[in-house]
Amino acid sequence: MKKAEHLLSQATLQKSPTGIQGFDEITAGGLPAGRPTLVCGSAGCGKTLFGIEFLVRGTTLYNEPGVFMSFEETNEELIKNVASLGFDLEDLIKHKKIALDHVHIERSEIEETGEYDLEGLFIRLGYAIDSIGAKRVVLDTIESLFAGLLNQMILRAELRRLFRWLKEKGVTAIITGERGEDTLTRQGLEEYVSDCVIMLDHRVTEQTSTRRLRVVKYRGSLHGTNEYPFLIDETGFSVLPVTSLGLEHKVSNERISSGITELDKMLEGKGYFRGSTVLVSGTAGVGKTSMAAHFAEAACKRGERVLYFCFEESPSQLMRNMRSIGINLEPWAHRGLLQFQATRPTFYGLEMHLAVTHKAVNAFNPEIVIMDPINTFILGDTENEVKSMLMRIVDFLKGNQITALFTSLTSSESALESSDVGISSLIDTWLLLRDIELNGERNRGMYVLKSRGMANSNQIREFILTDNGVKLRDVYVGASGVLTGSARIAQEAHENAGLLRQKQDIERKRRELERKRKVMEARVAALHAEFKSQESEALKNLEAEQEIIRLQKMDKIEMAASRKSVTEKRKTKKHTKP
């Protein structure tokens, strides 16, 4: 969009927007206003439909009525043919928004008389323009108008006269023309007198058809010069503006879950960056689609819209298969959060796949896009062309902050750390699933090959599919290498037996210590009892001895008292003697 705005800022020529998705971007605003534009191409490339949509979009979006003058199809045929695009010409004619006029020109009459004059055409076209106040005109096709005119000098003069008359009327005109063998048109003159030349191409390469558009010439304005794929479907034209894709997209620091808890833990416990690209690669049967389904289910549970491109399985088959591992996508599809786009890669050319992807994304406006698998595009095209197409898709999705997950099948002969489509350099997070064959078993392992902007685990995790989805287990690495499956179970059993023996030995030693403690405590208790007994006896002896000592003291006191009394009696007797 920024490049388109840059083109618009430099454009000085007044533009008439066509309303055709993508076309106004590559032409920096549309067709030159008040000037004629030549739309040329081979039969079936969409010239008439381009002109019709130019008129319909003009009157419905920009309030500019238009006149369609046909020299081949009748009005009734034209109305029926464009009804498939959802254009109701009868209603627009009724409200005087569009005027149709079919002019039948008989070549034999011109050859017989030798006369040719555009005055009658000018009067008829002028009346149609004035009757509805038309601002846009389409003449389809110019070969029929000049079919009987062989003189190149007269032909060039009449073409100039026609183009000058259209400019004087001030209408923005489209004139369609059939492509010549070595020229843009059969006469090879129209492109020189036109202010703008648009070439439509419908080519078939290796049984695959592709429609492309190129702005060959645009006087007075910058414009995209590449070939652009375009679609014609039930909604009309849509052109993919490849030149607008670049490296100007914004980035987000928001993280979103992969749907697998163990994988999120390997990515700092937070999952992928929103708006990033994720590649899940590996050999056949390792679980790439299962991881994509997990991601889709997790996004739908968050209330986000998921656009899932299936290139090998039908949606019903994919949903049935995912139910076997506990992932039920069907309710999300019914609720409108999950939309499937299922086509074989060979159904379109690469450019058409690119255009279809753009159209589907713009229509559904998803937060998540899944493409499963992308290596199937290589079947009919070279690796460089596939890489170019996928690079444009990556740029487009990143520019819209859409998180993309791609799966890619890696052949067993090629290196695992490479993708068959060669887009690994465009990927932000690359998850590699691999087979681990040991002891006659085939098991799965997964590791993060890279993840830009975040720390990530360097461990190889055993990848198993269960009734409850994908589970990641720590892979046992022993002396003989990585062990998975029954080898891991046997090794774990051996380790568990060793741990059991260690536990039993520890328990035995603990019991022995407990026995010794109890023996010691019993001995201590016996000694304590013996001591108590001896202490009691000793205390009794001590008390007896103390009682004897007390009694002895009492006897002495009594004896002393007795002696004192005798002595006093003797003294009394002495005093009373006559």
Side-chain angles (χ1 to χ4, degrees):
M1 291 300 296
K2 288 187 177 180
K3 187 164 185 177
E5 293 172 359
H6 176 68
L7 291 175
L8 281 170
S9 65
Q10 298 188 41
T12 57
L13 182 67
Q14 185 178 357
K15 301 293 182 70
S16 179
T18 63
I20 297 175
Q21 181 181 352
F23 180 81
D24 291 341
E25 184 177 350
I26 62 177
T27 54
L31 300 179
R35 297 186 182 186
T37 294
L38 175 65
V39 177
C40 57
S42 56
C45 65
K47 301 183 298 296
T48 301
L49 295 180
F50 186 94
I52 283 290
E53 184 157 356
F54 170 69
L55 296 184
V56 172
R57 303 298 182 197
T59 186
T60 56
L61 300 179
Y62 308 106
N63 195 27
E64 293 186 359
V67 173
F68 190 95
M69 181 169 282
S70 173
F71 305 110
E72 293 182 346
E73 293 179 278
T74 64
N75 295 347
E76 292 76 14
E77 291 172 339
L78 189 63
I79 291 172
K80 292 180 180 179
N81 291 341
V82 301
S84 61
L85 302 179
F87 299 152
D88 189 354
L89 292 185
E90 289 183 332
D91 183 70
L92 294 174
I93 294 171
K94 179 181 178 181
H95 291 86
K96 294 188 176 181
K97 298 293 184 179
I98 285 182
L100 300 183
D101 191 5
H102 172 63
V103 178
H104 177 71
I105 298 178
E106 186 62 46
R107 178 175 179 176
S108 60
E109 294 179 359
I110 299 175
E111 291 176 347
E112 289 175 2
T113 61
E115 298 179 357
Y116 192 87
D117 193 352
L118 292 178
E119 286 299 328
L121 175 68
F122 294 158
I123 294 173
R124 190 164 177 172
L125 183 57
Y127 174 79
I129 292 173
D130 296 336
S131 64
I132 62 171
K135 300 295 183 181
R136 304 185 178 205
V137 170
V138 175
L139 303 180
D140 183 44
T141 65
I142 199 168
E143 279 75 24
S144 299
L145 181 61
F146 295 109
L149 195 58
L150 301 179
N151 190 311
Q152 294 293 312
M153 296 295 293
I154 298 177
L155 176 60
R156 181 183 287 269
E158 290 300 313
L159 281 173
R160 290 185 178 277
R161 186 182 175 197
L162 172 62
F163 282 34
R164 185 169 58 252
W165 184 88
L166 291 170
K167 287 183 179 181
E168 291 174 354
K169 292 294 291 184
V171 294
T172 304
I174 286 181
I175 301 171
T176 66
E178 294 289 340
R179 187 173 181 179
E181 293 184 1
D182 298 320
T183 57
L184 294 178
T185 58
R186 289 183 182 178
Q187 281 80 17
L189 301 175
E190 297 91 329
E191 58 264 33
Y192 297 106
V193 296
S194 301
D195 289 273
C196 179
V197 179
I198 309 296
M199 185 177 71
L200 305 181
D201 182 31
H202 188 192
R203 68 188 68 170
V204 178
T205 305
E206 295 184 0
Q207 301 179 357
T208 302
S209 66
T210 304
R211 299 178 187 271
R212 299 188 182 184
L213 175 148
R214 181 165 68 94
V215 182
V216 179
K217 168 184 175 183
Y218 203 135
R219 288 174 180 166
S221 174
L222 296 175
H223 59 87
T225 57
N226 293 336
E227 284 190 323
Y228 307 95
F230 70 92
L231 293 178
I232 300 176
D233 58 14
E234 67 280 0
T235 61
F237 263 74
S238 59
V239 183
L240 178 61
V242 177
T243 53
S244 67
L245 304 179
L247 295 175
E248 300 175 354
H249 51 266
K250 297 180 181 179
V251 296
S252 172
N253 291 322
E254 181 185 355
R255 304 286 282 274
I256 56 177
S257 173
S258 64
I260 304 172
T261 304
E262 295 85 355
L263 177 56
D264 290 343
K265 291 179 180 178
M266 297 178 70
L267 303 171
E268 296 182 331
K270 302 175 183 178
Y272 312 127
F273 279 116
R274 183 174 295 281
S276 63
T277 52
V278 181
L279 175 65
V280 181
S281 65
T283 53
V286 292
K288 301 181 295 296
T289 300
S290 300
M291 292 196 65
H294 257 296
F295 188 43
E297 183 186 43
C300 291
K301 287 181 177 179
R302 296 191 299 266
E304 299 175 2
R305 300 163 72 87
V306 179
L307 183 60
Y308 199 123
F309 289 90
C310 307
F311 301 121
E312 289 186 340
E313 294 181 280
S314 67
S316 57
Q317 180 181 350
L318 187 145
M319 288 189 288
R320 181 205 65 187
N321 294 344
M322 290 303 104
R323 282 196 293 270
S324 66
I325 59 172
I327 300 176
N328 191 3
L329 299 177
E330 191 170 357
W332 306 114
H334 290 326
R335 291 176 56 181
L337 288 175
L338 175 62
Q339 184 182 99
F340 289 97
Q341 294 281 336
T343 55
R344 287 289 185 187
T346 54
F347 187 72
Y348 303 121
L350 288 178
E351 298 293 345
M352 191 61 68
H353 272 291
L354 182 61
V356 168
T357 301
H358 273 246
K359 188 175 182 65
V361 170
N362 290 332
F364 189 60
N365 193 27
E367 286 85 5
I368 306 293
V369 167
I370 297 173
M371 304 188 78
D372 177 33
I374 56 175
N375 56 283
T376 51
F377 290 111
I378 299 179
L379 295 176
D381 297 272
T382 65
E383 182 176 330
N384 289 335
E385 291 175 343
V386 173
K387 183 176 181 180
S388 176
M389 185 268 288
L390 292 174
M391 183 184 299
R392 297 176 189 178
I393 290 179
V394 168
D395 286 338
F396 170 66
L397 296 178
K398 283 193 171 184
N400 288 277
Q401 282 288 288
I402 297 173
T403 309
L405 186 144
F406 306 128
T407 69
S408 177
L409 176 66
T410 303
S411 61
S412 57
E413 292 81 9
S414 62
L416 289 175
E417 290 80 9
S418 66
S419 58
D420 288 346
V421 292
I423 64 163
S424 56
S425 60
L426 306 176
I427 298 302
D428 298 309
T429 299
W430 187 358
L431 307 177
L432 181 60
L433 306 181
R434 57 180 299 180
D435 290 322
I436 302 174
E437 297 184 6
L438 186 66
N439 296 332
E441 288 185 349
R442 175 179 176 270
N443 297 289
R444 303 176 178 91
M446 190 209 75
Y447 61 93
V448 181
L449 197 58
K450 73 171 182 178
S451 192
R452 291 170 176 164
M454 69 179 76
N456 58 272
S457 172
N458 63 349
Q459 294 180 342
I460 298 177
R461 304 291 296 274
E462 186 175 0
F463 181 91
I464 57 177
L465 299 176
T466 71
D467 294 339
N468 296 316
V470 171
K471 301 295 180 184
L472 300 181
R473 302 175 61 190
D474 292 329
V475 174
Y476 178 85
V477 181
S480 58
V482 176
L483 300 180
T484 59
S486 62
R488 173 189 179 134
I489 294 173
Q491 180 63 30
E492 289 178 343
H494 178 71
E495 291 180 352
N496 291 336
L499 290 174
L500 181 59
R501 287 193 297 271
Q502 290 179 352
K503 289 180 180 180
Q504 290 174 344
D505 187 50
I506 292 172
E507 186 64 25
R508 181 183 58 78
K509 291 179 179 179
R510 184 179 289 111
R511 289 196 302 268
E512 181 65 20
L513 286 174
E514 182 67 17
R515 186 189 65 79
K516 289 182 178 182
R517 183 183 66 81
K518 290 181 178 180
V519 169
M520 179 195 69
E521 289 177 349
R523 289 179 179 177
V524 170
L527 290 173
H528 186 69
E530 183 180 358
F531 172 76
K532 283 291 187 181
S533 177
Q534 292 176 357
E535 182 185 35
S536 178
E537 186 67 27
L539 289 175
K540 289 179 180 180
N541 293 334
L542 289 173
E543 290 177 357
E545 290 178 1
Q546 289 177 351
E547 182 63 22
I548 293 171
I549 293 172
R550 186 183 66 78
L551 293 173
Q552 288 175 352
K553 286 182 179 181
M554 291 297 294
D555 290 342
K556 286 181 181 181
I557 293 172
E558 290 178 356
M559 187 178 293
S562 175
R563 287 177 179 177
K564 183 177 179 182
S565 176
V566 172
T567 300
E568 287 180 351
K569 286 180 178 182
R570 286 176 179 177
K571 287 181 178 181
T572 302
K573 288 179 178 180
K574 285 179 180 183
H575 287 294
T576 60
K577 188 175 180 183

